[in-house]
Amino acid sequence: MKRLTLAGTAAQMTDISMQDLIIRRPDDWHLHLRDGDMLEAVLPYSSAHFSRAIIMPNLVPPVTDCASANAYRARIEKALPKGHDFTPLMTLYLTETTDADDVVAGFESGVIRAVKLYPAGATTNSQSGVRDMEKVYPVLERMAQAGVPLCVHGEVTDPDVDIFDREAVFIERVLEPTRRRFPTLRIVMEHITTQEGVAYVRDGAEGIGGTITTHHLIINRNAILVGGIRPHYYCLPIAKRESHRLALREAATSGNARFFLGTDSAPHLDPAKESACGCAGVFSSINTMACLAHVFEQEDALDQLEAFASLNGPGFYRLPVNENTMRLTRRETPVNLPDKIETKSGAVTVFDPMFPIYWDVDAKA
Ligand code: NCD
Ligand code: ZN
């Protein structure tokens, strides 16, 4: 068996028919766990594979202060299956009335790890988000001083801007001006979906990172629209044309430390997706690592999977990398994964990558 050990990392790989890849345990730098029945149903899939996750605060009502973040963390910890070792990294939902003292104190005491900017109306539960960026300048200034990362949903909401252009326009109109005004602010451009997003993160100033989802590496907009409308591929930012997907693949598999995994696994009950006005969100925590192994294998970049899923994120967030490992094994025949999971309130459809999955994940390696 040929084994490749990468300097300074845990990644090992054997070749051809029965590949066996061992990487440091991954983290998910953008995750929606929801609350109640949904939390209980989806959390075990994240905690089975990931050591930590940045938990999105877009609950109803949103998590806007450290007291609510602490209470939410306690609900997540309570819902954790026995034996799962998983640390939720909490975030605050930025509003025009966010208290900068609360943010800085929460960051310094480890209650929160980041603050999330949702432009009001950009996505699911973003109504309480920011309408006028100038109103949050005082908070951003304090965050820049204290080193609190700002996670950004990078889409403008101007009705005159085409939905496929909203990310690129956001960079120009909002992101770059904000960065210039607060050059030391650490920014994660979340779930990038465009060549412009890739270029901005790759070539931009220091202190900028970008998360990439699993599904945006796999689908382009045809998946949503060709041969019938497929609501389970509808998410925000919406998948773009093929050239953008290829740019994302190149970025994710490049090893560049600025790019890291954020699944944006965002479960909604099936009736809320399969509707005349369906919700945005793809549920992928359950098969993300297997799908990523497939993608990295296709790109002949299995040796970069560990950087993307396990090393670059902690690097950006200034956290230690995980010491334990995960084994991914390529089988001769496809592995079985469920099409749906059940919650006490109904079913949630799992992301279908439209290819058979051959990779088996053993997170206790
Ligand atoms: C997310 C959700 O459902 O909370 N939906 C999505 O399509 N990604 C919100 C978000 O991250 O935009
Ligand atoms: Zn999200």
Side-chain angles (χ1 to χ4, degrees):
M1 239 178 10
K2 189 178 134 213
R3 284 205 166 239
L4 172 69
T5 308
L6 302 166
T9 77
Q12 296 179 314
M13 186 172 48
T14 62
D15 63 351
I16 325 278
S17 56
M18 231 272 308
Q19 292 194 56
D20 206 15
L21 176 69
I22 298 177
I23 59 171
R24 285 181 192 268
R25 216 172 136 95
D27 303 300
D28 185 349
W29 301 96
H30 181 130
L31 175 65
H32 300 269
L33 285 177
R34 317 298 193 203
D35 220 335
D37 292 349
M38 186 66 93
L39 168 65
E40 209 173 284
V42 299
L43 173 62
Y45 298 109
S46 286
S47 59
H49 288 179
F50 298 93
S51 281
R52 298 168 288 196
I54 285 276
I55 309 300
M56 287 297 127
N58 63 332
L59 303 182
V60 187
V63 180
T64 51
D65 56 42
C66 287
S68 336
N70 259 331
Y72 186 28
R73 179 213 316 276
R75 297 198 294 281
I76 295 168
E77 283 169 353
K78 189 157 172 257
L80 258 185
K82 273 207 174 56
H84 281 206
D85 181 9
F86 175 81
T87 307
L89 306 173
M90 309 310 290
T91 61
L92 289 189
Y93 184 118
L94 184 64
T95 72
E96 291 178 0
T97 57
T98 294
D99 174 2
D101 289 337
D102 187 49
V103 169
V104 172
F107 181 72
E108 285 174 352
S109 64
V111 172
I112 58 153
R113 296 288 174 178
V115 168
K116 175 72 189 242
L117 165 67
Y118 288 104
T123 188
T124 311
N125 303 335
S126 62
Q127 310 83 295
S128 321
V130 176
R131 271 159 236 280
D132 175 0
M133 281 299 287
E134 288 192 17
K135 296 229 169 85
V136 297
Y137 280 175
V139 181
L140 297 184
E141 179 148 22
R142 295 282 304 284
M143 286 171 56
Q145 282 162 7
V148 186
L150 178 70
C151 298
V152 173
H153 183 108
E155 290 191 287
V156 293
T157 54
D158 182 342
D160 293 339
V161 179
D162 188 275
I163 189 162
F164 293 99
D165 299 332
R166 288 180 173 200
E167 181 172 296
V169 172
F170 182 88
I171 294 172
E172 213 179 282
R173 287 194 195 162
V174 185
L175 193 53
E176 181 55 12
T178 306
R179 194 204 59 76
R180 278 172 193 256
R181 191 171 184 107
F182 305 103
T184 59
L185 183 62
R186 301 171 54 66
I187 299 177
V188 187
M189 196 178 170
E190 303 269 65
H191 40 49
I192 52 173
T193 59
T194 57
Q195 285 162 305
E196 290 88 344
V198 167
Y200 189 78
V201 172
R202 188 191 53 216
D203 308 329
E206 224 176 293
I208 302 220
T211 58
I212 303 179
T213 75
T214 310
H215 50 282
H216 288 118
L217 294 172
I218 295 173
I219 61 161
N220 63 30
R221 62 195 193 178
N222 283 6
I224 314 164
L225 297 168
V226 171
I229 188 153
R230 297 178 201 279
H232 295 291
Y233 293 119
Y234 174 62
C235 67
L236 289 169
I238 196 158
K240 310 298 192 294
R241 63 169 65 240
E242 178 65 358
S243 50
H244 295 289
R245 183 185 75 103
L246 296 177
L248 294 169
R249 280 199 169 214
E250 153 86 38
T253 58
S254 67
N256 185 321
R258 292 182 169 204
F259 297 104
F260 39 96
L261 172 64
T263 65
D264 194 14
S265 181
H268 293 276
L269 294 173
D270 279 353
K273 297 281 301 171
E274 297 164 6
S275 148
C277 183
C279 295
V282 167
F283 173 61
S284 64
S285 56
I286 179 168
N287 59 5
T288 270
M289 290 312 298
C291 288
L292 285 177
H294 184 104
V295 167
F296 278 64
E297 182 188 18
Q298 280 183 326
E299 298 294 323
D300 202 15
L302 279 170
D303 57 343
Q304 299 297 347
L305 179 58
E306 184 181 51
F308 181 65
S310 316
L311 305 178
N312 297 347
F316 181 89
Y317 278 95
R318 298 173 171 159
L319 292 168
V321 295
N322 297 316
E323 285 306 327
N324 42 8
T325 55
M326 161 180 279
R327 180 189 297 268
L328 296 125
T329 305
R330 195 188 195 290
R331 303 289 179 203
E332 299 284 348
T333 51
V335 297
N336 279 327
L337 283 163
D339 300 338
K340 291 177 191 286
I341 62 150
E342 284 304 325
T343 78
K344 284 182 190 148
S345 319
V348 176
T349 293
V350 173
F351 171 61
D352 173 3
M354 295 180 283
F355 51 68
I357 292 180
Y358 288 91
W359 288 89
D360 226 357
V361 178
D362 175 5
K364 292 192 187 64

Short mmCIF file of all heavy atoms in Angstrom, two decimals, residues 322-362:
data_model
loop_
_atom_site.label_atom_id
_atom_site.label_comp_id
_atom_site.label_asym_id
_atom_site.label_seq_id
_atom_site.Cartn_x
_atom_site.Cartn_y
_atom_site.Cartn_z
N ASN A 322 -7.48 20.35 14.96
CA ASN A 322 -7.91 19.18 15.74
C ASN A 322 -6.82 18.12 15.74
O ASN A 322 -6.15 17.91 14.73
CB ASN A 322 -9.20 18.60 15.14
CG ASN A 322 -10.33 19.60 15.23
OD1 ASN A 322 -10.52 20.24 16.27
ND2 ASN A 322 -11.08 19.76 14.14
N GLU A 323 -6.68 17.47 16.88
CA GLU A 323 -5.65 16.44 17.01
C GLU A 323 -6.13 15.08 16.53
O GLU A 323 -5.36 14.27 16.05
CB GLU A 323 -5.16 16.34 18.47
CG GLU A 323 -4.25 17.49 18.89
CD GLU A 323 -3.04 17.67 17.95
OE1 GLU A 323 -2.52 16.67 17.41
OE2 GLU A 323 -2.64 18.83 17.75
N ASN A 324 -7.43 14.80 16.69
CA ASN A 324 -7.93 13.49 16.26
C ASN A 324 -8.16 13.47 14.75
O ASN A 324 -8.13 14.50 14.10
CB ASN A 324 -9.17 13.08 17.05
CG ASN A 324 -10.12 14.24 17.22
OD1 ASN A 324 -9.91 15.28 16.61
ND2 ASN A 324 -11.17 14.06 17.98
N THR A 325 -8.38 12.30 14.23
CA THR A 325 -8.40 12.16 12.77
C THR A 325 -9.70 11.52 12.27
O THR A 325 -10.50 10.99 13.05
CB THR A 325 -7.22 11.29 12.29
OG1 THR A 325 -7.26 10.05 12.97
CG2 THR A 325 -5.89 11.98 12.52
N MET A 326 -9.86 11.58 10.96
CA MET A 326 -11.00 10.98 10.26
C MET A 326 -10.42 10.14 9.12
O MET A 326 -9.50 10.58 8.43
CB MET A 326 -11.89 12.09 9.72
CG MET A 326 -12.84 11.67 8.63
SD MET A 326 -13.84 13.06 8.05
CE MET A 326 -15.11 13.12 9.31
N ARG A 327 -11.02 8.99 8.91
CA ARG A 327 -10.57 8.14 7.79
C ARG A 327 -11.64 8.14 6.70
O ARG A 327 -12.82 7.89 6.97
CB ARG A 327 -10.35 6.71 8.28
CG ARG A 327 -9.89 5.75 7.18
CD ARG A 327 -9.91 4.31 7.69
NE ARG A 327 -8.97 4.13 8.79
CZ ARG A 327 -7.71 3.75 8.66
NH1 ARG A 327 -7.24 3.46 7.47
NH2 ARG A 327 -6.92 3.62 9.71
N LEU A 328 -11.22 8.40 5.48
CA LEU A 328 -12.14 8.33 4.34
C LEU A 328 -11.66 7.20 3.45
O LEU A 328 -10.49 7.17 3.06
CB LEU A 328 -12.14 9.66 3.57
CG LEU A 328 -12.66 10.83 4.40
CD1 LEU A 328 -11.66 11.97 4.45
CD2 LEU A 328 -13.98 11.34 3.85
N THR A 329 -12.55 6.27 3.18
CA THR A 329 -12.15 5.09 2.41
C THR A 329 -12.96 5.02 1.13
O THR A 329 -14.20 5.12 1.17
CB THR A 329 -12.41 3.82 3.24
OG1 THR A 329 -11.74 3.95 4.49
CG2 THR A 329 -11.90 2.57 2.52
N ARG A 330 -12.27 4.85 0.02
CA ARG A 330 -12.98 4.74 -1.25
C ARG A 330 -13.35 3.28 -1.49
O ARG A 330 -12.49 2.42 -1.60
CB ARG A 330 -12.12 5.24 -2.39
CG ARG A 330 -12.93 5.48 -3.64
CD ARG A 330 -12.07 5.79 -4.84
NE ARG A 330 -12.84 6.35 -5.91
CZ ARG A 330 -13.73 5.68 -6.65
NH1 ARG A 330 -13.97 4.42 -6.40
NH2 ARG A 330 -14.37 6.29 -7.63
N ARG A 331 -14.66 3.03 -1.58
CA ARG A 331 -15.15 1.67 -1.78
C ARG A 331 -15.25 1.35 -3.27
O ARG A 331 -15.28 2.25 -4.11
CB ARG A 331 -16.54 1.52 -1.15
CG ARG A 331 -16.61 1.84 0.34
CD ARG A 331 -15.93 0.79 1.16
NE ARG A 331 -15.97 1.11 2.59
CZ ARG A 331 -15.11 0.65 3.47
NH1 ARG A 331 -14.12 -0.14 3.10
NH2 ARG A 331 -15.21 0.96 4.75
N GLU A 332 -15.36 0.05 -3.55
CA GLU A 332 -15.53 -0.39 -4.94
C GLU A 332 -16.96 -0.15 -5.43
O GLU A 332 -17.20 0.02 -6.63
CB GLU A 332 -15.25 -1.90 -5.05
CG GLU A 332 -13.83 -2.29 -4.66
CD GLU A 332 -12.82 -1.93 -5.73
OE1 GLU A 332 -13.24 -1.60 -6.85
OE2 GLU A 332 -11.61 -1.96 -5.43
N THR A 333 -17.90 -0.19 -4.51
CA THR A 333 -19.31 0.00 -4.88
C THR A 333 -19.87 1.18 -4.08
O THR A 333 -19.36 1.49 -3.00
CB THR A 333 -20.13 -1.26 -4.56
OG1 THR A 333 -19.86 -1.62 -3.20
CG2 THR A 333 -19.77 -2.42 -5.47
N PRO A 334 -20.91 1.82 -4.59
CA PRO A 334 -21.43 3.01 -3.90
C PRO A 334 -21.90 2.72 -2.47
O PRO A 334 -22.41 1.64 -2.20
CB PRO A 334 -22.61 3.44 -4.78
CG PRO A 334 -22.34 2.86 -6.12
CD PRO A 334 -21.60 1.57 -5.87
N VAL A 335 -21.70 3.69 -1.60
CA VAL A 335 -22.18 3.54 -0.22
C VAL A 335 -23.62 4.06 -0.15
O VAL A 335 -24.03 4.89 -0.97
CB VAL A 335 -21.28 4.32 0.78
CG1 VAL A 335 -19.87 3.77 0.79
CG2 VAL A 335 -21.26 5.82 0.49
N ASN A 336 -24.34 3.54 0.81
CA ASN A 336 -25.75 3.94 0.94
C ASN A 336 -25.90 5.09 1.91
O ASN A 336 -25.48 4.99 3.05
CB ASN A 336 -26.58 2.77 1.47
CG ASN A 336 -26.92 1.82 0.35
OD1 ASN A 336 -27.12 2.26 -0.80
ND2 ASN A 336 -26.98 0.54 0.65
N LEU A 337 -26.51 6.15 1.45
CA LEU A 337 -26.83 7.27 2.34
C LEU A 337 -28.30 7.58 2.16
O LEU A 337 -28.84 7.40 1.07
CB LEU A 337 -25.98 8.49 1.96
CG LEU A 337 -24.52 8.43 2.43
CD1 LEU A 337 -23.66 9.43 1.69
CD2 LEU A 337 -24.43 8.69 3.93
N PRO A 338 -28.97 8.02 3.22
CA PRO A 338 -30.41 8.27 3.07
C PRO A 338 -30.72 9.45 2.16
O PRO A 338 -29.93 10.39 2.07
CB PRO A 338 -30.86 8.58 4.51
CG PRO A 338 -29.63 9.01 5.22
CD PRO A 338 -28.47 8.34 4.56
N ASP A 339 -31.86 9.39 1.49
CA ASP A 339 -32.32 10.52 0.67
C ASP A 339 -32.95 11.60 1.55
O ASP A 339 -33.01 12.76 1.19
CB ASP A 339 -33.43 10.08 -0.30
CG ASP A 339 -32.94 9.01 -1.25
OD1 ASP A 339 -31.71 8.93 -1.42
OD2 ASP A 339 -33.78 8.27 -1.78
N LYS A 340 -33.51 11.14 2.68
CA LYS A 340 -34.18 12.06 3.60
C LYS A 340 -33.85 11.65 5.02
O LYS A 340 -33.56 10.48 5.26
CB LYS A 340 -35.71 11.95 3.45
CG LYS A 340 -36.27 12.47 2.16
CD LYS A 340 -37.77 12.21 2.11
CE LYS A 340 -38.35 12.48 0.73
NZ LYS A 340 -38.47 13.89 0.40
N ILE A 341 -33.95 12.60 5.93
CA ILE A 341 -33.91 12.24 7.35
C ILE A 341 -35.26 12.63 7.97
O ILE A 341 -35.95 13.50 7.42
CB ILE A 341 -32.76 12.92 8.11
CG1 ILE A 341 -32.90 14.45 8.08
CG2 ILE A 341 -31.41 12.51 7.55
CD1 ILE A 341 -32.32 15.12 9.29
N GLU A 342 -35.59 12.01 9.07
CA GLU A 342 -36.85 12.32 9.74
C GLU A 342 -36.60 13.21 10.95
O GLU A 342 -35.63 13.02 11.67
CB GLU A 342 -37.54 11.03 10.21
CG GLU A 342 -38.22 10.25 9.09
CD GLU A 342 -39.25 11.05 8.30
OE1 GLU A 342 -39.95 11.90 8.91
OE2 GLU A 342 -39.34 10.84 7.07
N THR A 343 -37.46 14.18 11.14
CA THR A 343 -37.46 14.94 12.38
C THR A 343 -38.84 14.71 13.01
O THR A 343 -39.74 14.19 12.33
CB THR A 343 -37.27 16.45 12.14
OG1 THR A 343 -38.53 17.00 11.70
CG2 THR A 343 -36.22 16.74 11.09
N LYS A 344 -39.02 15.16 14.26
CA LYS A 344 -40.34 15.00 14.89
C LYS A 344 -41.40 15.83 14.18
O LYS A 344 -42.59 15.62 14.36
CB LYS A 344 -40.27 15.37 16.37
CG LYS A 344 -39.62 14.29 17.19
CD LYS A 344 -39.61 14.66 18.67
CE LYS A 344 -38.74 13.70 19.44
NZ LYS A 344 -38.08 14.36 20.60
N SER A 345 -40.96 16.80 13.37
CA SER A 345 -41.93 17.64 12.66
C SER A 345 -42.06 17.29 11.18
O SER A 345 -42.79 17.97 10.47
CB SER A 345 -41.54 19.11 12.77
OG SER A 345 -41.10 19.41 14.05
N GLY A 346 -41.31 16.29 10.72
CA GLY A 346 -41.42 15.91 9.31
C GLY A 346 -40.05 15.64 8.70
O GLY A 346 -39.03 15.68 9.39
N ALA A 347 -40.07 15.39 7.37
CA ALA A 347 -38.84 14.96 6.69
C ALA A 347 -38.04 16.15 6.17
O ALA A 347 -38.60 17.22 5.88
CB ALA A 347 -39.19 14.04 5.54
N VAL A 348 -36.74 15.93 6.04
CA VAL A 348 -35.83 16.90 5.44
C VAL A 348 -35.06 16.16 4.35
O VAL A 348 -34.45 15.11 4.62
CB VAL A 348 -34.83 17.47 6.47
CG1 VAL A 348 -33.82 18.40 5.80
CG2 VAL A 348 -35.55 18.20 7.60
N THR A 349 -35.07 16.69 3.14
CA THR A 349 -34.35 16.04 2.04
C THR A 349 -32.87 16.35 2.12
O THR A 349 -32.46 17.48 2.37
CB THR A 349 -34.95 16.51 0.68
OG1 THR A 349 -36.28 16.00 0.61
CG2 THR A 349 -34.13 16.01 -0.50
N VAL A 350 -32.08 15.29 1.89
CA VAL A 350 -30.62 15.40 1.94
C VAL A 350 -30.11 15.83 0.56
O VAL A 350 -30.66 15.41 -0.48
CB VAL A 350 -30.02 14.02 2.31
CG1 VAL A 350 -28.50 14.02 2.19
CG2 VAL A 350 -30.46 13.60 3.71
N PHE A 351 -29.07 16.64 0.54
CA PHE A 351 -28.45 17.07 -0.71
C PHE A 351 -28.09 15.86 -1.57
O PHE A 351 -27.39 14.96 -1.13
CB PHE A 351 -27.19 17.90 -0.40
CG PHE A 351 -26.35 18.21 -1.61
CD1 PHE A 351 -26.89 18.94 -2.66
CD2 PHE A 351 -25.04 17.77 -1.71
CE1 PHE A 351 -26.13 19.23 -3.79
CE2 PHE A 351 -24.27 18.05 -2.84
CZ PHE A 351 -24.81 18.78 -3.88
N ASP A 352 -28.57 15.87 -2.81
CA ASP A 352 -28.28 14.79 -3.76
C ASP A 352 -27.22 15.30 -4.74
O ASP A 352 -27.52 16.16 -5.58
CB ASP A 352 -29.57 14.41 -4.50
CG ASP A 352 -29.31 13.43 -5.62
OD1 ASP A 352 -28.14 12.99 -5.80
OD2 ASP A 352 -30.27 13.12 -6.36
N PRO A 353 -26.00 14.78 -4.66
CA PRO A 353 -24.94 15.31 -5.53
C PRO A 353 -25.07 14.86 -6.99
O PRO A 353 -24.29 15.30 -7.83
CB PRO A 353 -23.67 14.75 -4.90
CG PRO A 353 -24.10 13.49 -4.23
CD PRO A 353 -25.52 13.72 -3.76
N MET A 354 -26.04 13.99 -7.27
CA MET A 354 -26.29 13.49 -8.63
C MET A 354 -25.14 12.62 -9.14
O MET A 354 -24.98 12.48 -10.35
CB MET A 354 -26.59 14.63 -9.60
CG MET A 354 -27.88 15.34 -9.27
SD MET A 354 -28.27 16.70 -10.39
CE MET A 354 -27.17 17.97 -9.81
N PHE A 355 -24.32 12.13 -8.24
CA PHE A 355 -23.36 11.08 -8.62
C PHE A 355 -23.36 10.07 -7.49
O PHE A 355 -23.69 10.41 -6.35
CB PHE A 355 -21.94 11.65 -8.87
CG PHE A 355 -21.38 12.53 -7.77
CD1 PHE A 355 -21.03 12.04 -6.51
CD2 PHE A 355 -21.19 13.90 -8.00
CE1 PHE A 355 -20.50 12.86 -5.52
CE2 PHE A 355 -20.67 14.73 -7.00
CZ PHE A 355 -20.33 14.20 -5.76
N PRO A 356 -23.03 8.81 -7.79
CA PRO A 356 -22.95 7.84 -6.70
C PRO A 356 -21.77 8.16 -5.80
O PRO A 356 -20.73 8.63 -6.27
CB PRO A 356 -22.72 6.50 -7.42
CG PRO A 356 -22.49 6.81 -8.85
CD PRO A 356 -22.74 8.25 -9.12
N ILE A 357 -21.95 7.95 -4.52
CA ILE A 357 -20.89 8.25 -3.55
C ILE A 357 -20.15 6.96 -3.22
O ILE A 357 -20.76 5.97 -2.83
CB ILE A 357 -21.50 8.88 -2.28
CG1 ILE A 357 -22.05 10.27 -2.62
CG2 ILE A 357 -20.48 8.96 -1.17
CD1 ILE A 357 -22.69 10.98 -1.45
N TYR A 358 -18.83 6.99 -3.38
CA TYR A 358 -18.01 5.81 -3.10
C TYR A 358 -17.22 5.93 -1.81
O TYR A 358 -16.54 5.01 -1.41
CB TYR A 358 -17.04 5.56 -4.27
CG TYR A 358 -17.73 5.06 -5.52
CD1 TYR A 358 -18.20 5.95 -6.49
CD2 TYR A 358 -17.94 3.70 -5.72
CE1 TYR A 358 -18.85 5.50 -7.63
CE2 TYR A 358 -18.58 3.23 -6.86
CZ TYR A 358 -19.03 4.14 -7.80
OH TYR A 358 -19.68 3.68 -8.92
N TRP A 359 -17.28 7.10 -1.20
CA TRP A 359 -16.41 7.34 -0.03
C TRP A 359 -17.17 7.08 1.26
O TRP A 359 -18.25 7.60 1.49
CB TRP A 359 -15.88 8.77 -0.07
CG TRP A 359 -14.85 8.96 -1.13
CD1 TRP A 359 -15.07 9.32 -2.43
CD2 TRP A 359 -13.44 8.78 -1.01
NE1 TRP A 359 -13.88 9.37 -3.12
CE2 TRP A 359 -12.86 9.04 -2.27
CE3 TRP A 359 -12.60 8.40 0.05
CZ2 TRP A 359 -11.48 8.95 -2.50
CZ3 TRP A 359 -11.23 8.32 -0.18
CH2 TRP A 359 -10.69 8.60 -1.44
N ASP A 360 -16.54 6.30 2.08
CA ASP A 360 -17.06 5.96 3.41
C ASP A 360 -16.30 6.79 4.43
O ASP A 360 -15.09 6.95 4.31
CB ASP A 360 -16.72 4.49 3.66
CG ASP A 360 -17.89 3.73 4.20
OD1 ASP A 360 -18.94 4.34 4.45
OD2 ASP A 360 -17.73 2.51 4.40
N VAL A 361 -17.02 7.28 5.43
CA VAL A 361 -16.37 8.16 6.41
C VAL A 361 -16.34 7.46 7.76
O VAL A 361 -17.37 7.01 8.25
CB VAL A 361 -17.17 9.47 6.54
CG1 VAL A 361 -16.53 10.38 7.58
CG2 VAL A 361 -17.26 10.19 5.19
N ASP A 362 -15.15 7.36 8.32
CA ASP A 362 -15.02 6.83 9.68
C ASP A 362 -14.38 7.93 10.52
O ASP A 362 -13.18 8.19 10.43
CB ASP A 362 -14.15 5.57 9.67
CG ASP A 362 -13.89 5.06 11.09
OD1 ASP A 362 -14.46 5.62 12.05
OD2 ASP A 362 -13.10 4.12 11.24
#
